[in-house]
């Protein structure tokens, strides 16, 4: 939900920190700040607004220090103000701290610290952490060996309930950073005579591709040339240094106007990456190296449970449709945030799946942990390599979609849909699907990237439609069967980047209430694919037309609609039933993108949102 960058090395820290914040700004952009160690003390510059605001403010300080921490904020406690921006300095100016997460017991800690004479300048929960570190730092120390600074942070974290990713400076320990995580991601970038702490890889990959993914409950003590990791109860941790497999260029916007546009147009490549090396030699099924379950295990499964949030939850609904349609295995889908408290009675032979682009969504992580607590194996379909969800799952399928910077998920979503289709095939071919049907299905999957490229050729037409429809403030998105989740996704895309009220419905359900919304001021986006219910969909469109509702119809090429029924037609190529959700998603991504651009919205950083929701 927020972005953290810490640097210690031989270069001026401020420019490296601000460059890192620019790459993390999609995680939160309400305010930003830096704290730099220099001249025996810690200097702080912080401002409400974007990182660009901070850069201008920081320039006034002429920072020269080579160690510092920084933060870009998505507000949880306290409004969007300069005072509430991180870093927070302790009231004795000795400790500076940045935090991603929520301190659930901050009120009790604050009352304790106020009684000890500490003062507070902000409304945030984070400031209690800063003063609590200062409190422990100034008390008599007893722990042999480790620095007072590290001990003070460790003792502070013992008292914290909630989640944190933190980076801390102490004015008495120049050139040192202490960082720790519990529930919020934190990565250590191991450089050449420099080390970097960051919330995700994109902030450090331009300086090093050697990374250590910190785990919950770990504390890292960092200097320019060294680092050491321990657990909260002081056990040493042997670090595993991973290599990042993508370059910073893949996180650049290139010639595109927005990351979202870039990511919409690179979907075909993302889909090719999702399939690479994942088909059987006989070409009749899919193969996944990371599921860590064999065919016998899968034969014994009689139900799948999928949990996720947002767009990933829509992908779960598509997975449900495809697995039940092709593998004939029952599937349950639940919002992750609901599952973890609903205490659903689960079938003992269930296999649990979570889908998450970031791999850090705390509601999804909590559902994963709840399922594991109940003894279920959990698989993760995830784009975030080395992310918390990827590491805590018992197995899974990496999406290999590359970094997705735009807050509105696009390439990661269609990648999840394709992987769900591949998984449905994998299970179906273990059961009743024939070899020839499997080969046909595999060929359809392989053809999908080119069909997406063909659909993207509709972009100019869709942009013109968007110009005509950007003025409306209400939309319905209507689809059936596997395209009902795509109707939900289309509505979510429009909502989150253009702030237009939009609702997705099963098309036939519209006459049970939502049709009351239909008027000339409430257009409908209708998915009308070739198939057995094509005429039923036409009937639903007639009901809307009879009430003067405008219709944007997404129709399979070659399917003729009655003349005048649709006000706009967006053709999509004919395709296999299993890949239809992928193809049908592309037009609504483009429509929402172009409408948002037409309305002058900040497409990549929509108001109130963040790319990865790491608070409950
Ligand atoms: C999608 O456009 C949204 N940004 C949001 O709904 C997102 O899908 C959701 O927060 C889940 O994120 P995850 O896939 O990283 O877990």
């Amino acid at each position: 939900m927020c972005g953290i960058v810490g640097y210690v090395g031989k270069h001026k820290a401020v420019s490296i920190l601000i460059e890192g914040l620019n790459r993390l700004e999609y995680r939160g952009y309400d305010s930003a700040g830096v704290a730099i160690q220099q001249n025996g003390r810690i200097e702080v510059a912080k401002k409400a607004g974007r990182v660009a605001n901070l850069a201008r403010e920081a320039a006034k300080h002429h920072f020269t220090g080579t160690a510092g921490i920084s933060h870009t904020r998505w507000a949880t406690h306290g409004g969007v103000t300069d005072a509430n921006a991180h870093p927070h300095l302790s009231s004795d100016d000795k400790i500076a701290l940045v935090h991603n997460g929520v301190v659930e017991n901050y009120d009790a800690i604050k009352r304790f610290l106020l009684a000890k004479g500490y003062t507070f300048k902000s409304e945030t929960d984070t400031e209690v952490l800063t003063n609590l570190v200062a409190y422990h730092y100034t008390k008599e120390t007893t722990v042999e060996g480790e620095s007072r600074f590290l001990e003070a942070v460790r003792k502070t974290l013992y008292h914290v309930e909630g989640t944190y990713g933190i980076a801390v400076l102490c004015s008495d320990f120049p050139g040192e950073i202490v960082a720790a995580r519990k529930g919020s991601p934190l990565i250590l970038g191991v450089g050449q005579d420099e080390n970097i702490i960051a919330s995700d890889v994109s902030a450090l990959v331009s300086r090093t591709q050697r990374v250590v993914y910190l785990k919950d409950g770990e504390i890292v003590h960092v200097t320019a040339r060294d680092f050491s990791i321990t657990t909260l109860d002081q056990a040493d941790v042997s670090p595993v240094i991973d290599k990042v497999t993508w370059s910073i260029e893949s996180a650049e916007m290139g010639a595109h106007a927005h990351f979202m546009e870039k990511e919409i147009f690179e979907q075909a490549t993302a889909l090719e990456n999702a399939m690479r090396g994942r088909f059987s030699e006989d070409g009749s099924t899919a193969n996944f190296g990371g599921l860590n379950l064999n065919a016998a295990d899968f034969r014994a499964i009689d139900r799948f449970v999928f949990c996720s949030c947002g767009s990933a939850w829509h992908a779960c609904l598509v997975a449900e449709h495809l697995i039940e349609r092709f593998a004939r295995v029952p599937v349950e889908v639940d919002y992750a945030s609901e599952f973890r408290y609903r205490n659903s009675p689960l079938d003992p032979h269930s296999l649990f799946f979570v889908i998450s682009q970031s791999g850090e969504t705390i509601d999804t992580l909590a559902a994963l942990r709840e399922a594991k607590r109940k003894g279920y194996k959990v698989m993760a379909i995830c784009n975030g390599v080395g992310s918390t969800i990827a590491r805590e799952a018992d197995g899974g399928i990496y999406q290999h979609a590359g970094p997705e910077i735009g807050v509105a998920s696009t390439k990661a979503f269609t990648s999840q849909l394709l992987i769900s289709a591949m998984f449905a095939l994998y299970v179906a071919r273990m059961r009743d699907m024939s070899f020839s049907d499997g080969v046909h299905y595999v060929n359809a999957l392989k053809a999908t990237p080119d069909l997406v490229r063909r659909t993207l050729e509709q972009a100019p037409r869709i942009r013109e439609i968007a110009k005509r429809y950007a003025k409306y403030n209400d939309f319905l998105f209507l689809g059936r069967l596997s395209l009902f989740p795509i109707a939900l996704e289309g509505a979510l895309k429009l909502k989150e980047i253009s702030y237009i009220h939009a609702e997705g419905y099963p098309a036939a359900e519209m006459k049970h209430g939502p049709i009351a919304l239909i008027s000339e001021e409430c257009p409908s986006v209708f998915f009308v694919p070739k198939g057995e219910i094509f005429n039923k969909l036409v009937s639903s469109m007639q009901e809307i037309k009879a009430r003067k509702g405008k219709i944007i119809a997404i129709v399979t090429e070659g399917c003729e609609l009655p003349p005048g029924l649709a006000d706009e037609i967006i053709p999509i190529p004919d395709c296999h039933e299993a890949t239809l959700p992928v193809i049908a998603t592309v037009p609504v991504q483009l429509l929402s993108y172009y409408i948002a651009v037409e309305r002058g919205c900040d497409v990549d950083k929509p108001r109130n949102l963040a790319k990865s929701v790491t608070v409950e």
Side-chain angles (χ1 to χ4, degrees):
M1 194 72 92
C2 302
I4 289 175
V5 186
Y7 174 82
V8 56
K10 54 193 175 190
H11 300 290
K12 278 187 191 174
V14 64
S15 52
I16 294 169
L17 294 174
I18 287 178
E19 166 58 20
L21 290 185
N22 279 319
R23 299 201 181 282
L24 294 185
E25 201 170 22
Y26 65 91
R27 301 174 60 87
Y29 28 88
D30 293 331
S31 61
V34 292
I36 305 288
Q37 274 184 327
Q38 57 187 35
N39 312 321
R41 61 197 185 89
I42 301 170
E43 277 193 50
V44 173
K46 55 185 187 178
K47 286 297 278 184
R50 297 292 169 82
V51 173
N53 279 9
L54 167 66
R56 284 189 288 273
E57 181 66 19
K60 298 173 189 169
H61 291 248
H62 305 295
F63 287 125
T64 56
T66 59
I69 57 177
S70 63
H71 184 274
T72 183
R73 183 177 181 234
W74 188 84
T76 52
H77 289 75
V80 178
T81 63
D82 294 355
N84 288 339
H86 303 204
H88 290 286
L89 263 180
S90 55
S91 40
D92 59 6
D93 287 346
K94 280 202 175 290
I95 304 293
L97 181 144
V98 292
H99 171 229
N100 176 15
V102 175
V103 181
E104 293 176 353
N105 60 334
Y106 86 98
D107 191 45
I109 298 173
K110 188 165 186 174
R111 279 187 273 110
F112 167 78
L113 292 166
L114 286 169
K116 296 289 182 185
Y118 286 86
T119 57
F120 291 84
K121 309 177 191 74
S122 80
E123 307 157 321
T124 67
D125 55 343
T126 300
E127 198 177 1
V128 304
L129 293 182
T130 310
N131 277 332
L132 192 56
V133 173
Y135 168 75
H136 285 297
Y137 178 69
T138 48
K139 274 179 62 187
E140 279 313 303
T141 62
T142 55
V143 173
E144 296 304 318
E146 70 179 2
S147 74
R148 283 179 57 189
F149 171 30
L150 175 58
E151 179 204 1
V153 175
R154 188 188 307 282
K155 282 191 170 178
T156 295
L157 297 179
Y158 276 130
H159 298 289
V160 172
E161 293 168 19
T163 59
Y164 56 79
I166 59 170
V168 194
L169 295 176
C170 177
S171 55
D172 297 341
F173 289 80
E176 296 186 31
I177 296 176
V178 174
R181 67 154 288 174
K182 180 190 163 202
S184 293
L186 219 47
I187 297 163
L188 170 66
V190 183
Q192 191 63 40
D193 297 333
E194 64 180 28
N195 287 312
I196 303 174
I197 289 286
S199 299
D200 85 27
V201 168
S202 57
L204 53 79
V205 73
S206 63
R207 301 191 71 83
T208 179
Q209 292 192 307
R210 300 172 68 231
V211 294
V212 177
Y213 295 100
L214 293 178
K215 297 184 179 63
D216 279 355
E218 291 182 346
I219 300 178
V220 62
H221 189 193
V222 186
T223 63
R225 289 190 178 76
D226 198 9
F227 67 91
S228 62
I229 303 174
T230 54
T231 61
L232 210 47
D233 49 21
Q234 298 193 61
D236 289 333
V237 172
S238 302
V240 174
I241 298 183
D242 282 306
K243 186 169 181 352
V244 177
T245 55
W246 48 270
S247 66
I248 194 62
E249 287 66 36
S250 57
E252 302 281 356
M253 201 185 306
H256 291 280
H258 301 96
F259 278 111
M260 183 177 176
E261 182 190 38
K262 169 178 178 277
E263 289 150 9
I264 288 173
F265 281 88
E266 63 186 12
Q267 289 186 99
T269 305
L271 296 175
E272 286 163 346
N273 293 342
M275 293 187 282
R276 187 162 292 115
R278 286 176 166 167
F279 292 118
S280 61
E281 280 186 22
D282 68 3
S284 75
T285 189
N287 271 337
F288 299 104
L291 290 176
N292 305 332
L293 289 173
N294 59 38
D297 296 328
F298 274 102
R299 283 293 326 182
I301 288 160
D302 55 22
R303 182 176 293 274
F304 292 101
V305 180
F306 279 75
C307 273
S308 289
C309 303
S311 289
W313 181 75
H314 300 153
C316 293
L317 294 175
V318 171
E320 173 187 26
H321 180 86
L322 297 177
I323 293 168
E324 293 190 346
R325 165 74 178 78
F326 292 104
R328 313 303 299 156
V329 179
V331 179
E332 282 174 45
V333 174
D334 207 347
Y335 283 111
S337 53
E338 290 295 293
F339 172 83
R340 58 173 306 202
Y341 293 113
R342 191 200 302 278
N343 195 26
S344 310
L346 289 177
D347 179 302
H349 303 293
S350 296
L351 179 60
F352 204 89
F353 265 85
V354 294
I355 299 179
S356 176
Q357 187 286 130
S358 62
E360 298 298 347
T361 300
I362 200 154
D363 288 327
T364 305
L365 178 60
L368 176 154
R369 290 172 173 169
E370 178 67 6
K372 292 187 73 169
R373 213 172 284 129
K374 294 178 183 293
Y376 291 94
K377 282 200 178 295
V378 180
M379 300 292 128
I381 296 174
C382 185
N383 199 34
V385 176
S387 61
T388 308
I389 287 173
R391 282 186 286 108
E392 294 198 15
D394 297 297
I397 305 168
Y398 273 131
Q399 298 180 225
H400 303 308
E404 185 177 72
I405 309 299
V407 165
S409 186
T410 50
K411 66 174 182 175
F413 176 69
T414 49
S415 162
Q416 291 161 2
L417 300 185
L418 195 74
I419 286 170
S420 299
M422 294 164 71
F423 182 73
L425 167 67
Y426 179 68
V427 179
R429 285 282 292 123
M430 283 179 202
R431 294 167 185 257
D432 308 328
M433 184 182 280
S434 71
F435 173 82
S436 57
D437 286 349
V439 170
H440 176 62
Y441 194 118
V442 167
N443 292 338
L445 293 171
K446 289 178 176 177
T448 307
D450 283 343
L451 294 182
V452 165
R453 291 185 178 97
R454 264 179 58 194
T455 307
L456 287 167
E457 290 168 7
Q458 297 294 327
R461 174 200 291 247
I462 295 170
R463 182 167 203 161
E464 290 311 306
I465 293 173
K467 288 177 181 173
R468 292 196 286 273
Y469 285 75
K471 63 189 176 191
Y472 295 107
N473 293 309
D474 292 285
F475 277 79
L476 283 187
F477 285 73
L478 302 167
R480 293 186 71 161
L481 302 176
S482 69
L483 296 192
F484 162 49
I486 309 308
L488 294 173
E489 175 63 10
L492 176 62
K493 288 284 109 26
L494 193 61
K495 271 188 280 237
E496 61 180 332
I497 64 173
S498 63
Y499 319 141
I500 291 172
H501 171 248
E503 296 185 55
Y505 270 95
E509 186 61 19
M510 171 272 301
K511 56 184 180 295
H512 299 285
I515 198 168
L517 296 173
I518 296 301
S519 74
E520 289 184 293
E521 298 309 308
C522 178
S524 298
V525 178
F526 235 108
F527 294 94
V528 201
K530 184 174 82 172
E532 60 193 2
I533 58 170
F534 180 83
N535 293 331
K536 297 281 189 229
L537 288 162
V538 169
S539 301
S540 298
M541 294 169 75
Q542 300 282 19
E543 290 157 14
I544 286 180
K545 205 67 201 168
R547 290 157 180 85
K548 301 189 184 343
K550 291 186 176 3
I551 296 175
I552 299 171
I554 297 168
V555 191
T556 303
E557 285 165 357
C559 291
E560 291 299 318
L561 293 174
L565 180 57
D567 298 274
E568 314 285 351
I569 291 179
I570 302 171
I572 54 173
D574 192 4
C575 61
H576 190 285
E577 187 183 339
T579 61
L580 175 62
V582 173
I583 306 302
T585 298
V586 175
V588 292
Q589 291 173 337
L590 288 168
L591 183 67
S592 59
Y593 171 73
Y594 288 130
I595 286 177
V597 169
E598 194 64 24
R599 289 172 72 117
C601 297
D602 189 337
V603 172
D604 284 334
K605 303 186 189 83
R607 70 186 183 201
N608 308 340
L609 286 178
K611 182 63 180 175
S612 178
V613 185
T614 55
V615 288
E616 288 193 58

